[in-house]
């Protein structure tokens, strides 16, 4: 099995090979899937059981996971259960020989995004893989930006955060100053520090970062600002 | 007493840009639903919408009238419309999950086949289970929420994810 790099250093914006993982106990089925996907330009890594996949999961790059529901030993649903949040790097599509709606519901609840009954149409599968991979990369990229924004906001002092919170509520400096019991000039200073610490090029960019980090806007009512310092709910 | 309803509809948005537009739709709907204290969940399966809504009687009627006039919906079929005491989806003003061919086929039944009686009841129950399942998976952190292309506005993204 070839190593496809370190999952932690992947930038989803950089186009890499489209990666699919296949977990199925049937070697004939794996082989035919491999041929189909590789012909369509996918890099495929296959596993004959869920245990093997889970043993390597933390080293795998983001991709689509085609998971058989019924396997001896660990079933597809068991794998979802055991994998939990470690599977967030994958768009999981369940493959099954039985169109069992209850199983589909359990799979969706376990984090799967789609469910395909065998035998299936190859073109249909390829279309499903493409849209799910695109969706996954968008979600991962967004999650990465969110984490980065949270880390940067974490560097702010309480006062800088209060000013950010006030600005997010659309409050003018004067109103923020009155509420915090400081001068307009001091608010301006905190704002400048805040923008600089966030590594933002403008106040607008800083506000975007604040939104991404889910900083709650201060409550503005009747010209007064109620600043809610602390974590968002 | 709260009114709740579940409907399915055909999506009239162009295939290529539909996902992008649904994000905008959801962002706007989140804000207005919050004002109306309506909560619920929406699945956009690619071809169809399935939406469960619950809230105060008058607000829900108002919102539903608006939905019926919305040109983004084609045919609308109401599957459930009744009253209940407690919310089924209290956590967010509107949870949203993305395309699924399986869900798509399931919703398709309500348009392509003339489901009657017990059969219809079963299919409605199953759809609701799928909506609960995906909503739960996102809430539990077992699945990432769907996102639009990151070139899009982050402010919209914020609206999509801000708590109810």
């Amino acid at each position: 099995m070839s190593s496809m790099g370190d999952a932690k250093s992947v930038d989803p914006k950089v186009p890499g090979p489209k990666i699919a993982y296949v977990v199925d106990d049937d070697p004939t089925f794996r082989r035919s899937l491999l041929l189909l996907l590789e012909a369509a330009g996918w890099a495929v890594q296959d596993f004959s059981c869920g245990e093997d996949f889970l043993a390597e999961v933390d080293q795998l790059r983001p991709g689509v996971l085609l998971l058989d529901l019924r396997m001896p030993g660990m079933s597809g649903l068991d794998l979802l259960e055991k994998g939990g949040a470690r599977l967030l790097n994958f768009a999981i599509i369940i493959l099954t020989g039985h169109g069992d709606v209850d199983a589909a519901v359990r799979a969706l609840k376990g984090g799967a995004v789609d469910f395909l009954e065998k035998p299936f149409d190859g073109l249909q599968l390829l279309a499903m893989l493409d849209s799910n991979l695109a969706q996954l990369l968008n979600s991962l990229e967004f999650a990465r930006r969110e984490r980065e924004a949270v880390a940067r906001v974490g560097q702010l002092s309480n006062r800088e955060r209060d000013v950010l919170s006030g600005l997010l509520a659309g409050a003018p400096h004067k109103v923020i100053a009155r509420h915090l019991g400081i001068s307009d000039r001091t608010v301006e200073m905190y704002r400048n520090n805040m923008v600089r610490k966030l590594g933002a090029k403008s106040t607008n960019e800083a506000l975007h970062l604040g939104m991404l980090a889910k900083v709650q806007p201060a409550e503005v009512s009747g010209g007064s600002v109620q600043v809610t310092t602390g974590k968002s709910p | 007493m709260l009114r709740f309803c579940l409907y399915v509809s055909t999506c009239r948005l162009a295939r290529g840009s539909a996902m992008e537009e649904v994000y905008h739709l959801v962002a706007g709907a989140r804000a207005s639903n919050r004002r109306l204290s309506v909560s619920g969940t929406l699945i956009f399966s690619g071809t169809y919408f399935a939406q469960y809504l619950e809230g105060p009687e008058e607000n829900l009627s108002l919102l539903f009238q608006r939905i019926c006039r919305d040109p983004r919906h084609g045919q609308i079929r109401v599957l459930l419309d009744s009253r209940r005491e407690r919310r089924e989806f209290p956590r967010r003003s509107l949870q949203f999950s993305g395309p699924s061919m399986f869900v798509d086929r399931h919703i398709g039944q309500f348009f392509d086949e003339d489901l009657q009686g017990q059969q219809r009841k079963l299919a409605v129950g199953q759809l609701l289970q799928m909506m609960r399942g995906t909503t739960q998976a996102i809430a539990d952190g077992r699945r990432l929420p769907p996102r639009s292309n990151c070139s899009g506005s982050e402010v919209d993204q914020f609206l999509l994810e801000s708590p109810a």
Side-chain angles (χ1 to χ4, degrees), chain A residues 80-81 88 101 104 108-115 117 124 128 135 138-142 145-146 208 211, chain B residues 19 23 100-102 105 126 129-130 133 137 141-150 154-155 157-158:
Chain A
L80 293 180
E81 186 59 42
L88 284 175
V101 179
L108 291 174
K109 205 168 173 177
V113 294
D114 219 333
F115 198 86
E117 289 145 45
Q124 194 185 28
M128 195 187 240
Q135 196 50 241
N138 280 339
S139 294
L140 287 174
E141 166 65 7
F142 192 80
R145 287 189 193 192
E146 240 173 17
H208 270 170
M211 287 177 185
Chain B
M19 202 60 195
Y23 289 103
S100 159
M101 280 190 173
F102 185 75
R105 272 208 311 280
Q126 287 170 336
Q129 286 288 345
M130 286 174 206
R142 306 183 73 91
R143 174 173 171 179
L144 295 170
R147 305 290 189 172
S148 70
N149 194 320
C150 283
E154 279 156 17
V155 179
Q157 297 280 11
F158 173 70

Side-chain angles (χ1 to χ4, degrees), chain B residues 94-156:
Chain B
L94 185 62
Q95 181 62 270
F96 164 57
S97 45
S100 159
M101 280 190 173
F102 185 75
V103 176
D104 204 272
R105 272 208 311 280
H106 194 82
I107 300 175
Q109 299 181 90
F110 296 106
F111 293 96
D112 303 338
E113 293 165 39
D114 186 25
L115 296 178
Q116 297 289 340
Q118 205 54 39
Q119 213 188 351
R120 186 173 190 274
K121 213 168 155 183
L122 182 69
V124 171
Q126 287 170 336
L127 174 61
L128 205 52
Q129 286 288 345
M130 286 174 206
M131 296 172 85
R132 271 194 209 111
T134 31
T135 305
Q136 191 64 45
I138 293 172
D140 291 351
R142 306 183 73 91
R143 174 173 171 179
L144 295 170
R147 305 290 189 172
S148 70
N149 194 320
C150 283
S151 61
S153 156
E154 279 156 17
V155 179
D156 287 341

Side-chain angles (χ1 to χ4, degrees), chain B residues 17-33:
Chain B
S17 60
M19 202 60 195
E20 237 14 76
E21 294 201 37
V22 172
Y23 289 103
H24 286 275
L25 182 154
V26 172
R30 282 235 167 108
S32 93
N33 289 2

